[in-house]
Amino acid sequence: MEEFAEQKSGMENDTVIVIAGPGGLGLGAIEVASSVYRAKVIAICDTEDSSILIRDEGAFQTICMSEGYPKVYRFLKNALGENRVRCIYDAVGGEALHLLQDFLDTENGSILTVYPLFDREAFKNSSPDFKVKDKDRVDRTELAKLPPIHERVQHIDLYNYQYQDRNFFREIIEETLSLYGEDLISAHVSKVFSLEDLEDAVEFIKKKKCTGKVLIEVKEDDTDESDNEDKRKKD
């Protein structure tokens, strides 16, 4: 969100690409970009079911990563034409950034990843085979003049902010609550499981059936509370 804020003055009507997974970070980015900063969002999701929700959250166009990189690339190439995007936001792991940087505005664009386990060194040394032919790719003359992508990717780690910059982390939380209070963003709960069904909840996430948060409901034990109340009365 703070990276969007830095570019707020010029983001209205600009296009951003959001790579959204089954968690809530991608959904949050889509809502903030579209509702708060009025940017046009092209979302890349993991399943067809999630694409419906993502469009409801404000995405202008969506495509599933399961279609394969060649089809995703053609989709973006056709959707953008000669235009380039202001921001590429990754919430799932970073691999696709090697390819999708082709569509970045080389003067004003930024590449962000909020994937908690992002490893810059591993990202630097990775060379995925996207099966996209060079002749089918857009002109990358200006892109070739920039530093390597592993130096340009900005990793936003909220966990580190929480412990290393508490004031900034507090500002993020306060701003998020403010946006929620203004109905500009919302929290999407994919499913609620009881504590007894914890294993089912884990399996639900593993199979990528969720889009948003999965909650575990922990109910207070009425029996224990009654026993404690009886004990207090006797004392």
Side-chain angles (χ1 to χ4, degrees):
M1 186 181 300
E2 67 274 11
E3 289 297 333
F4 285 148
E6 288 178 5
Q7 304 179 58
K8 180 178 179 180
S9 60
M11 279 194 67
E12 186 169 353
N13 297 322
D14 276 345
T15 303
V16 301
I17 293 174
V18 175
I19 309 170
L25 290 173
L27 287 176
I30 291 168
E31 280 196 302
V32 170
S34 61
S35 299
V36 180
Y37 299 123
R38 305 299 180 188
K40 185 182 295 184
V41 178
I42 298 177
I44 302 173
C45 52
D46 53 351
T47 66
E48 187 60 40
D49 288 340
S50 64
S51 70
I52 298 173
L53 172 62
I54 284 172
R55 282 193 292 270
D56 289 342
E57 295 295 332
F60 176 68
Q61 291 177 297
T62 63
I63 187 169
C64 294
M65 190 64 81
S66 58
E67 299 277 2
Y69 283 115
K71 189 167 183 178
V72 169
Y73 195 93
R74 286 196 301 272
F75 173 85
L76 293 173
K77 187 176 178 180
N78 292 333
L80 293 168
E82 297 299 319
N83 297 320
R84 293 295 175 262
V85 301
R86 186 67 178 273
C87 177
I88 301 176
Y89 179 103
D90 163 57
V92 300
E95 177 187 88
L97 297 177
H98 285 285
L99 181 66
L100 301 187
Q101 65 168 325
D102 286 9
F103 300 103
L104 186 70
D105 181 336
T106 55
E107 293 185 4
N108 301 305
S110 60
I111 303 175
L112 316 176
T113 181
V114 294
Y115 183 60
L117 302 180
F118 177 75
D119 184 322
R120 192 174 299 277
E121 191 64 25
F123 179 78
K124 172 185 176 181
N125 295 324
S126 64
S127 54
D129 180 9
F130 296 111
K131 302 186 185 304
V132 178
K133 298 178 181 178
D134 284 341
K135 68 180 182 65
D136 295 328
R137 297 178 72 167
V138 300
D139 181 21
R140 290 171 285 161
T141 304
E142 295 302 315
L143 187 66
K145 299 176 183 178
L146 298 179
I149 185 173
H150 70 272
E151 296 180 8
R152 292 183 284 119
V153 173
Q154 300 175 56
H155 181 210
I156 301 173
D157 190 338
L158 293 180
Y159 181 83
N160 282 340
Y161 282 139
Q162 182 178 358
Y163 293 99
Q164 296 179 8
D165 192 340
R166 290 183 178 273
N167 289 333
F168 183 62
F169 184 76
R170 187 179 297 109
E171 289 178 13
I172 294 174
I173 298 301
E174 290 175 351
E175 183 178 358
T176 301
L177 292 174
S178 175
L179 293 174
Y180 180 80
E182 296 174 25
D183 290 328
L184 291 173
I185 61 173
S186 59
H188 178 75
V189 177
S190 185
K191 193 169 183 178
V192 179
F193 290 86
S194 66
L195 185 59
E196 291 77 13
D197 295 327
L198 182 60
E199 291 185 3
D200 292 338
V202 173
E203 194 65 21
F204 185 75
I205 295 172
K206 283 183 176 179
K207 291 183 177 180
K208 296 185 177 181
K209 293 182 177 181
C210 62
T211 303
K213 298 301 181 183
V214 174
L215 303 184
I216 305 300
E217 185 176 26
V218 180
K219 294 183 178 180
E220 187 175 2
D221 192 327
D222 294 334
T223 303
D224 289 345
E225 183 63 28
S226 298
D227 290 343
N228 291 335
E229 183 65 25
D230 291 340
K231 184 177 180 180
R232 283 195 294 270
K233 288 180 179 179
K234 290 178 181 179
D235 293 341

Tab-separated table of all heavy atoms in Angstrom, residues 28-81:
chain	number	residue	atom	x	y	z
A	28	GLY	N	-6.190	-7.572	-1.558
A	28	GLY	CA	-6.031	-6.250	-0.960
A	28	GLY	C	-5.415	-5.261	-1.928
A	28	GLY	O	-5.842	-4.105	-2.019
A	29	ALA	N	-4.409	-5.720	-2.678
A	29	ALA	CA	-3.754	-4.842	-3.650
A	29	ALA	C	-4.723	-4.418	-4.748
A	29	ALA	O	-4.713	-3.265	-5.197
A	29	ALA	CB	-2.550	-5.555	-4.256
A	30	ILE	N	-5.563	-5.346	-5.183
A	30	ILE	CA	-6.543	-5.030	-6.231
A	30	ILE	C	-7.521	-3.971	-5.741
A	30	ILE	O	-7.820	-3.001	-6.445
A	30	ILE	CB	-7.295	-6.309	-6.659
A	30	ILE	CG1	-6.347	-7.240	-7.407
A	30	ILE	CG2	-8.503	-5.963	-7.532
A	30	ILE	CD1	-6.893	-8.635	-7.620
A	31	GLU	N	-7.998	-4.134	-4.516
A	31	GLU	CA	-8.949	-3.163	-3.964
A	31	GLU	C	-8.323	-1.790	-3.796
A	31	GLU	O	-8.923	-0.769	-4.138
A	31	GLU	CB	-9.475	-3.659	-2.616
A	31	GLU	CG	-10.574	-4.685	-2.722
A	31	GLU	CD	-11.305	-4.852	-1.410
A	31	GLU	OE1	-10.655	-5.183	-0.405
A	31	GLU	OE2	-12.531	-4.650	-1.393
A	32	VAL	N	-7.107	-1.751	-3.253
A	32	VAL	CA	-6.442	-0.468	-3.028
A	32	VAL	C	-6.156	0.227	-4.354
A	32	VAL	O	-6.413	1.426	-4.519
A	32	VAL	CB	-5.134	-0.664	-2.231
A	32	VAL	CG1	-4.317	0.625	-2.211
A	32	VAL	CG2	-5.445	-1.100	-0.805
A	33	ALA	N	-5.624	-0.527	-5.317
A	33	ALA	CA	-5.272	0.074	-6.605
A	33	ALA	C	-6.501	0.593	-7.343
A	33	ALA	O	-6.486	1.693	-7.904
A	33	ALA	CB	-4.532	-0.945	-7.468
A	34	SER	N	-7.583	-0.191	-7.327
A	34	SER	CA	-8.767	0.191	-8.108
A	34	SER	C	-9.672	1.173	-7.376
A	34	SER	O	-10.154	2.145	-7.966
A	34	SER	CB	-9.567	-1.058	-8.497
A	34	SER	OG	-10.027	-1.748	-7.348
A	35	SER	N	-9.899	0.955	-6.075
A	35	SER	CA	-10.856	1.783	-5.337
A	35	SER	C	-10.246	3.062	-4.791
A	35	SER	O	-10.887	4.112	-4.789
A	35	SER	CB	-11.460	0.981	-4.174
A	35	SER	OG	-12.161	-0.147	-4.642
A	36	VAL	N	-9.000	2.972	-4.317
A	36	VAL	CA	-8.371	4.132	-3.683
A	36	VAL	C	-7.642	4.994	-4.704
A	36	VAL	O	-7.809	6.212	-4.740
A	36	VAL	CB	-7.402	3.683	-2.572
A	36	VAL	CG1	-6.747	4.898	-1.911
A	36	VAL	CG2	-8.139	2.847	-1.527
A	37	TYR	N	-6.830	4.363	-5.559
A	37	TYR	CA	-5.998	5.123	-6.483
A	37	TYR	C	-6.531	5.152	-7.914
A	37	TYR	O	-5.906	5.726	-8.796
A	37	TYR	CB	-4.566	4.581	-6.446
A	37	TYR	CG	-3.962	4.707	-5.077
A	37	TYR	CD1	-3.480	3.595	-4.405
A	37	TYR	CD2	-3.912	5.942	-4.439
A	37	TYR	CE1	-2.944	3.712	-3.134
A	37	TYR	CE2	-3.380	6.063	-3.170
A	37	TYR	CZ	-2.893	4.946	-2.519
A	37	TYR	OH	-2.369	5.068	-1.265
A	38	ARG	N	-7.691	4.520	-8.123
A	38	ARG	CA	-8.385	4.586	-9.413
A	38	ARG	C	-7.530	4.102	-10.580
A	38	ARG	O	-7.620	4.617	-11.697
A	38	ARG	CB	-8.865	6.020	-9.684
A	38	ARG	CG	-9.731	6.604	-8.582
A	38	ARG	CD	-10.992	5.801	-8.374
A	38	ARG	NE	-11.824	6.363	-7.315
A	38	ARG	CZ	-12.914	5.773	-6.828
A	38	ARG	NH1	-13.304	4.608	-7.315
A	38	ARG	NH2	-13.611	6.337	-5.863
A	39	ALA	N	-6.694	3.126	-10.314
A	39	ALA	CA	-5.891	2.537	-11.382
A	39	ALA	C	-6.678	1.407	-12.041
A	39	ALA	O	-7.621	0.862	-11.466
A	39	ALA	CB	-4.575	2.003	-10.822
A	40	LYS	N	-6.291	1.065	-13.239
A	40	LYS	CA	-6.907	-0.051	-13.958
A	40	LYS	C	-6.082	-1.303	-13.652
A	40	LYS	O	-4.875	-1.331	-13.891
A	40	LYS	CB	-6.912	0.237	-15.457
A	40	LYS	CG	-7.634	-0.806	-16.292
A	40	LYS	CD	-7.544	-0.469	-17.771
A	40	LYS	CE	-8.272	0.813	-18.097
A	40	LYS	NZ	-8.266	1.083	-19.559
A	41	VAL	N	-6.738	-2.322	-13.116
A	41	VAL	CA	-6.026	-3.518	-12.661
A	41	VAL	C	-6.240	-4.685	-13.617
A	41	VAL	O	-7.374	-5.045	-13.932
A	41	VAL	CB	-6.490	-3.938	-11.250
A	41	VAL	CG1	-5.764	-5.212	-10.812
A	41	VAL	CG2	-6.245	-2.817	-10.249
A	42	ILE	N	-5.129	-5.260	-14.062
A	42	ILE	CA	-5.168	-6.540	-14.765
A	42	ILE	C	-4.647	-7.577	-13.778
A	42	ILE	O	-3.508	-7.484	-13.313
A	42	ILE	CB	-4.300	-6.531	-16.031
A	42	ILE	CG1	-4.818	-5.484	-17.023
A	42	ILE	CG2	-4.291	-7.912	-16.678
A	42	ILE	CD1	-3.967	-5.368	-18.283
A	43	ALA	N	-5.482	-8.536	-13.427
A	43	ALA	CA	-5.119	-9.513	-12.405
A	43	ALA	C	-4.823	-10.872	-13.026
A	43	ALA	O	-5.537	-11.334	-13.916
A	43	ALA	CB	-6.238	-9.648	-11.379
A	44	ILE	N	-3.763	-11.488	-12.540
A	44	ILE	CA	-3.418	-12.856	-12.927
A	44	ILE	C	-3.669	-13.725	-11.704
A	44	ILE	O	-3.041	-13.537	-10.656
A	44	ILE	CB	-1.950	-12.956	-13.368
A	44	ILE	CG1	-1.687	-11.996	-14.532
A	44	ILE	CG2	-1.606	-14.384	-13.767
A	44	ILE	CD1	-0.223	-11.909	-14.926
A	45	CYS	N	-4.607	-14.652	-11.808
A	45	CYS	CA	-4.998	-15.461	-10.656
A	45	CYS	C	-4.648	-16.929	-10.902
A	45	CYS	O	-4.149	-17.298	-11.967
A	45	CYS	CB	-6.485	-15.294	-10.368
A	45	CYS	SG	-7.537	-15.581	-11.804
A	46	ASP	N	-4.929	-17.758	-9.896
A	46	ASP	CA	-4.516	-19.157	-10.006
A	46	ASP	C	-5.627	-20.094	-10.458
A	46	ASP	O	-5.351	-21.166	-10.985
A	46	ASP	CB	-3.918	-19.647	-8.683
A	46	ASP	CG	-4.840	-19.400	-7.504
A	46	ASP	OD1	-5.855	-18.707	-7.689
A	46	ASP	OD2	-4.548	-19.898	-6.405
A	47	THR	N	-6.895	-19.725	-10.260
A	47	THR	CA	-8.001	-20.589	-10.675
A	47	THR	C	-9.121	-19.758	-11.295
A	47	THR	O	-9.221	-18.554	-11.065
A	47	THR	CB	-8.586	-21.369	-9.477
A	47	THR	OG1	-9.203	-20.446	-8.568
A	47	THR	CG2	-7.507	-22.162	-8.750
A	48	GLU	N	-9.979	-20.417	-12.052
A	48	GLU	CA	-11.109	-19.736	-12.673
A	48	GLU	C	-12.093	-19.247	-11.617
A	48	GLU	O	-12.694	-18.176	-11.751
A	48	GLU	CB	-11.817	-20.683	-13.647
A	48	GLU	CG	-12.909	-20.015	-14.476
A	48	GLU	CD	-12.375	-18.871	-15.327
A	48	GLU	OE1	-11.280	-19.000	-15.892
A	48	GLU	OE2	-13.069	-17.834	-15.411
A	49	ASP	N	-12.258	-20.027	-10.542
A	49	ASP	CA	-13.164	-19.616	-9.470
A	49	ASP	C	-12.703	-18.303	-8.838
A	49	ASP	O	-13.510	-17.417	-8.553
A	49	ASP	CB	-13.250	-20.703	-8.394
A	49	ASP	CG	-14.020	-21.925	-8.868
A	49	ASP	OD1	-14.783	-21.793	-9.846
A	49	ASP	OD2	-13.857	-23.002	-8.264
A	50	SER	N	-11.397	-18.190	-8.614
A	50	SER	CA	-10.888	-16.972	-7.987
A	50	SER	C	-10.996	-15.774	-8.917
A	50	SER	O	-11.097	-14.631	-8.463
A	50	SER	CB	-9.438	-17.164	-7.540
A	50	SER	OG	-8.585	-17.391	-8.642
A	51	SER	N	-10.991	-16.004	-10.224
A	51	SER	CA	-11.075	-14.883	-11.167
A	51	SER	C	-12.416	-14.157	-11.045
A	51	SER	O	-12.495	-12.944	-11.246
A	51	SER	CB	-10.868	-15.373	-12.604
A	51	SER	OG	-11.963	-16.148	-13.045
A	52	ILE	N	-13.471	-14.893	-10.702
A	52	ILE	CA	-14.790	-14.270	-10.528
A	52	ILE	C	-14.763	-13.309	-9.346
A	52	ILE	O	-15.211	-12.162	-9.436
A	52	ILE	CB	-15.868	-15.352	-10.323
A	52	ILE	CG1	-15.954	-16.248	-11.561
A	52	ILE	CG2	-17.220	-14.712	-10.026
A	52	ILE	CD1	-16.860	-17.453	-11.388
A	53	LEU	N	-14.212	-13.779	-8.230
A	53	LEU	CA	-14.111	-12.931	-7.043
A	53	LEU	C	-13.217	-11.729	-7.312
A	53	LEU	O	-13.531	-10.598	-6.918
A	53	LEU	CB	-13.555	-13.739	-5.871
A	53	LEU	CG	-13.214	-12.942	-4.610
A	53	LEU	CD1	-14.455	-12.272	-4.038
A	53	LEU	CD2	-12.556	-13.833	-3.575
A	54	ILE	N	-12.116	-11.950	-7.997
A	54	ILE	CA	-11.162	-10.877	-8.265
A	54	ILE	C	-11.791	-9.784	-9.123
A	54	ILE	O	-11.552	-8.597	-8.916
A	54	ILE	CB	-9.893	-11.463	-8.923
A	54	ILE	CG1	-9.051	-12.163	-7.848
A	54	ILE	CG2	-9.080	-10.393	-9.626
A	54	ILE	CD1	-7.885	-12.936	-8.392
A	55	ARG	N	-12.622	-10.173	-10.077
A	55	ARG	CA	-13.327	-9.156	-10.869
A	55	ARG	C	-14.304	-8.378	-9.994
A	55	ARG	O	-14.462	-7.165	-10.143
A	55	ARG	CB	-14.054	-9.815	-12.050
A	55	ARG	CG	-13.132	-10.176	-13.206
A	55	ARG	CD	-13.930	-10.512	-14.454
A	55	ARG	NE	-14.677	-11.752	-14.301
A	55	ARG	CZ	-14.204	-12.947	-14.609
A	55	ARG	NH1	-12.981	-13.069	-15.084
A	55	ARG	NH2	-14.946	-14.027	-14.450
A	56	ASP	N	-14.949	-9.089	-9.069
A	56	ASP	CA	-15.865	-8.413	-8.145
A	56	ASP	C	-15.126	-7.413	-7.253
A	56	ASP	O	-15.700	-6.412	-6.823
A	56	ASP	CB	-16.588	-9.438	-7.262
A	56	ASP	CG	-17.604	-10.261	-8.040
A	56	ASP	OD1	-17.999	-9.820	-9.140
A	56	ASP	OD2	-17.991	-11.339	-7.556
A	57	GLU	N	-13.854	-7.703	-6.974
A	57	GLU	CA	-13.066	-6.827	-6.107
A	57	GLU	C	-12.522	-5.611	-6.851
A	57	GLU	O	-11.921	-4.732	-6.240
A	57	GLU	CB	-11.901	-7.608	-5.484
A	57	GLU	CG	-12.324	-8.719	-4.539
A	57	GLU	CD	-13.033	-8.208	-3.304
A	57	GLU	OE1	-12.754	-7.065	-2.892
A	57	GLU	OE2	-13.878	-8.930	-2.753
A	58	GLY	N	-12.702	-5.568	-8.169
A	58	GLY	CA	-12.305	-4.362	-8.893
A	58	GLY	C	-11.363	-4.557	-10.057
A	58	GLY	O	-10.975	-3.586	-10.708
A	59	ALA	N	-10.965	-5.810	-10.341
A	59	ALA	CA	-10.061	-6.034	-11.468
A	59	ALA	C	-10.766	-5.732	-12.788
A	59	ALA	O	-11.916	-6.128	-12.996
A	59	ALA	CB	-9.552	-7.470	-11.461
A	60	PHE	N	-10.072	-5.040	-13.669
A	60	PHE	CA	-10.623	-4.680	-14.974
A	60	PHE	C	-10.632	-5.891	-15.902
A	60	PHE	O	-11.587	-6.132	-16.636
A	60	PHE	CB	-9.791	-3.545	-15.573
A	60	PHE	CG	-10.197	-3.144	-16.955
A	60	PHE	CD1	-11.413	-2.519	-17.196
A	60	PHE	CD2	-9.353	-3.385	-18.034
A	60	PHE	CE1	-11.788	-2.150	-18.485
A	60	PHE	CE2	-9.721	-3.016	-19.321
A	60	PHE	CZ	-10.940	-2.399	-19.541
A	61	GLN	N	-9.547	-6.663	-15.868
A	61	GLN	CA	-9.439	-7.879	-16.665
A	61	GLN	C	-8.707	-8.935	-15.846
A	61	GLN	O	-7.877	-8.614	-14.995
A	61	GLN	CB	-8.665	-7.616	-17.963
A	61	GLN	CG	-9.400	-6.739	-18.968
A	61	GLN	CD	-8.539	-6.454	-20.194
A	61	GLN	OE1	-7.496	-5.826	-20.088
A	61	GLN	NE2	-8.975	-6.915	-21.348
A	62	THR	N	-8.998	-10.202	-16.123
A	62	THR	CA	-8.324	-11.287	-15.406
A	62	THR	C	-7.951	-12.407	-16.367
A	62	THR	O	-8.583	-12.589	-17.411
A	62	THR	CB	-9.224	-11.891	-14.305
A	62	THR	OG1	-10.387	-12.480	-14.914
A	62	THR	CG2	-9.654	-10.844	-13.299
A	63	ILE	N	-6.924	-13.149	-15.977
A	63	ILE	CA	-6.560	-14.369	-16.687
A	63	ILE	C	-5.944	-15.319	-15.675
A	63	ILE	O	-5.325	-14.883	-14.692
A	63	ILE	CB	-5.580	-14.101	-17.852
A	63	ILE	CG1	-5.366	-15.391	-18.656
A	63	ILE	CG2	-4.259	-13.530	-17.345
A	63	ILE	CD1	-4.641	-15.194	-19.972
A	64	CYS	N	-6.116	-16.613	-15.888
A	64	CYS	CA	-5.604	-17.615	-14.961
A	64	CYS	C	-4.197	-18.053	-15.355
A	64	CYS	O	-3.929	-18.323	-16.529
A	64	CYS	CB	-6.518	-18.834	-14.926
A	64	CYS	SG	-8.144	-18.501	-14.239
A	65	MET	N	-3.328	-18.168	-14.370
A	65	MET	CA	-1.969	-18.634	-14.619
A	65	MET	C	-1.971	-20.064	-15.142
A	65	MET	O	-1.052	-20.484	-15.849
A	65	MET	CB	-1.150	-18.538	-13.333
A	65	MET	CG	0.335	-18.763	-13.523
A	65	MET	SD	1.112	-17.482	-14.553
A	65	MET	CE	1.324	-16.180	-13.332
A	66	SER	N	-3.023	-20.812	-14.811
A	66	SER	CA	-3.114	-22.199	-15.267
A	66	SER	C	-3.234	-22.305	-16.785
A	66	SER	O	-3.043	-23.376	-17.361
A	66	SER	CB	-4.312	-22.890	-14.608
A	66	SER	OG	-5.518	-22.206	-14.909
A	67	GLU	N	-3.536	-21.192	-17.446
A	67	GLU	CA	-3.605	-21.180	-18.911
A	67	GLU	C	-2.226	-21.377	-19.533
A	67	GLU	O	-2.105	-21.714	-20.706
A	67	GLU	CB	-4.198	-19.849	-19.395
A	67	GLU	CG	-5.604	-19.561	-18.909
A	67	GLU	CD	-6.654	-20.228	-19.765
A	67	GLU	OE1	-6.280	-20.939	-20.721
A	67	GLU	OE2	-7.847	-20.046	-19.479
A	68	GLY	N	-1.184	-21.137	-18.740
A	68	GLY	CA	0.180	-21.272	-19.248
A	68	GLY	C	0.769	-19.918	-19.606
A	68	GLY	O	0.055	-18.995	-20.006
A	69	TYR	N	2.084	-19.801	-19.462
A	69	TYR	CA	2.738	-18.516	-19.695
A	69	TYR	C	2.560	-17.973	-21.112
A	69	TYR	O	2.354	-16.766	-21.290
A	69	TYR	CB	4.225	-18.616	-19.351
A	69	TYR	CG	4.493	-18.590	-17.869
A	69	TYR	CD1	5.037	-19.698	-17.223
A	69	TYR	CD2	4.200	-17.461	-17.110
A	69	TYR	CE1	5.287	-19.677	-15.855
A	69	TYR	CE2	4.441	-17.435	-15.745
A	69	TYR	CZ	4.988	-18.544	-15.124
A	69	TYR	OH	5.222	-18.522	-13.773
A	70	PRO	N	2.647	-18.806	-22.156
A	70	PRO	CA	2.460	-18.254	-23.507
A	70	PRO	C	1.109	-17.566	-23.682
A	70	PRO	O	1.030	-16.482	-24.276
A	70	PRO	CB	2.582	-19.490	-24.408
A	70	PRO	CG	3.466	-20.419	-23.646
A	70	PRO	CD	3.061	-20.229	-22.208
A	71	LYS	N	0.051	-18.177	-23.151
A	71	LYS	CA	-1.277	-17.579	-23.294
A	71	LYS	C	-1.411	-16.330	-22.426
A	71	LYS	O	-2.020	-15.335	-22.843
A	71	LYS	CB	-2.360	-18.595	-22.925
A	71	LYS	CG	-3.764	-18.111	-23.254
A	71	LYS	CD	-4.785	-19.226	-23.178
A	71	LYS	CE	-6.171	-18.730	-23.588
A	71	LYS	NZ	-7.178	-19.824	-23.565
A	72	VAL	N	-0.846	-16.372	-21.212
A	72	VAL	CA	-0.874	-15.194	-20.341
A	72	VAL	C	-0.145	-14.039	-21.017
A	72	VAL	O	-0.614	-12.895	-21.012
A	72	VAL	CB	-0.229	-15.514	-18.973
A	72	VAL	CG1	-0.021	-14.233	-18.161
A	72	VAL	CG2	-1.090	-16.494	-18.186
A	73	TYR	N	0.989	-14.335	-21.630
A	73	TYR	CA	1.785	-13.293	-22.291
A	73	TYR	C	1.010	-12.687	-23.462
A	73	TYR	O	0.964	-11.457	-23.615
A	73	TYR	CB	3.108	-13.883	-22.775
A	73	TYR	CG	4.139	-12.844	-23.145
A	73	TYR	CD1	5.066	-12.400	-22.207
A	73	TYR	CD2	4.186	-12.296	-24.426
A	73	TYR	CE1	6.015	-11.444	-22.535
A	73	TYR	CE2	5.125	-11.343	-24.765
A	73	TYR	CZ	6.037	-10.923	-23.818
A	73	TYR	OH	6.973	-9.966	-24.142
A	74	ARG	N	0.398	-13.531	-24.281
A	74	ARG	CA	-0.386	-13.026	-25.419
A	74	ARG	C	-1.551	-12.172	-24.936
A	74	ARG	O	-1.876	-11.137	-25.533
A	74	ARG	CB	-0.911	-14.193	-26.263
A	74	ARG	CG	0.136	-14.876	-27.111
A	74	ARG	CD	-0.506	-15.743	-28.185
A	74	ARG	NE	-1.359	-16.775	-27.618
A	74	ARG	CZ	-0.921	-17.976	-27.254
A	74	ARG	NH1	0.366	-18.289	-27.387
A	74	ARG	NH2	-1.755	-18.870	-26.759
A	75	PHE	N	-2.178	-12.616	-23.850
A	75	PHE	CA	-3.300	-11.870	-23.281
A	75	PHE	C	-2.858	-10.460	-22.888
A	75	PHE	O	-3.517	-9.468	-23.222
A	75	PHE	CB	-3.849	-12.621	-22.066
A	75	PHE	CG	-4.895	-11.873	-21.297
A	75	PHE	CD1	-6.223	-11.912	-21.676
A	75	PHE	CD2	-4.552	-11.119	-20.178
A	75	PHE	CE1	-7.196	-11.213	-20.966
A	75	PHE	CE2	-5.505	-10.418	-19.461
A	75	PHE	CZ	-6.831	-10.466	-19.858
A	76	LEU	N	-1.739	-10.363	-22.176
A	76	LEU	CA	-1.244	-9.057	-21.739
A	76	LEU	C	-0.802	-8.209	-22.931
A	76	LEU	O	-1.042	-6.995	-22.963
A	76	LEU	CB	-0.079	-9.241	-20.765
A	76	LEU	CG	-0.429	-9.866	-19.408
A	76	LEU	CD1	0.835	-10.149	-18.613
A	76	LEU	CD2	-1.360	-8.956	-18.619
A	77	LYS	N	-0.188	-8.842	-23.887
A	77	LYS	CA	0.276	-8.131	-25.083
A	77	LYS	C	-0.905	-7.512	-25.828
A	77	LYS	O	-0.851	-6.349	-26.266
A	77	LYS	CB	1.035	-9.103	-25.986
A	77	LYS	CG	1.730	-8.469	-27.181
A	77	LYS	CD	2.518	-9.530	-27.940
A	77	LYS	CE	3.199	-8.937	-29.172
A	77	LYS	NZ	3.968	-9.980	-29.910
A	78	ASN	N	-1.986	-8.263	-25.951
A	78	ASN	CA	-3.178	-7.755	-26.636
A	78	ASN	C	-3.909	-6.711	-25.794
A	78	ASN	O	-4.433	-5.725	-26.323
A	78	ASN	CB	-4.127	-8.912	-26.961
A	78	ASN	CG	-3.563	-9.849	-28.008
A	78	ASN	OD1	-2.761	-9.446	-28.850
A	78	ASN	ND2	-3.957	-11.117	-27.962
A	79	ALA	N	-3.961	-6.937	-24.485
A	79	ALA	CA	-4.687	-6.020	-23.604
A	79	ALA	C	-4.004	-4.662	-23.509
A	79	ALA	O	-4.671	-3.622	-23.437
A	79	ALA	CB	-4.825	-6.634	-22.209
A	80	LEU	N	-2.679	-4.660	-23.532
A	80	LEU	CA	-1.932	-3.417	-23.331
A	80	LEU	C	-1.574	-2.703	-24.626
A	80	LEU	O	-1.423	-1.477	-24.643
A	80	LEU	CB	-0.647	-3.711	-22.542
A	80	LEU	CG	-0.855	-4.150	-21.091
A	80	LEU	CD1	0.443	-4.698	-20.513
A	80	LEU	CD2	-1.365	-2.991	-20.251
A	81	GLY	N	-1.434	-3.449	-25.701
A	81	GLY	CA	-1.011	-2.814	-26.946
A	81	GLY	C	0.359	-2.186	-26.775
A	81	GLY	O	1.305	-2.829	-26.332
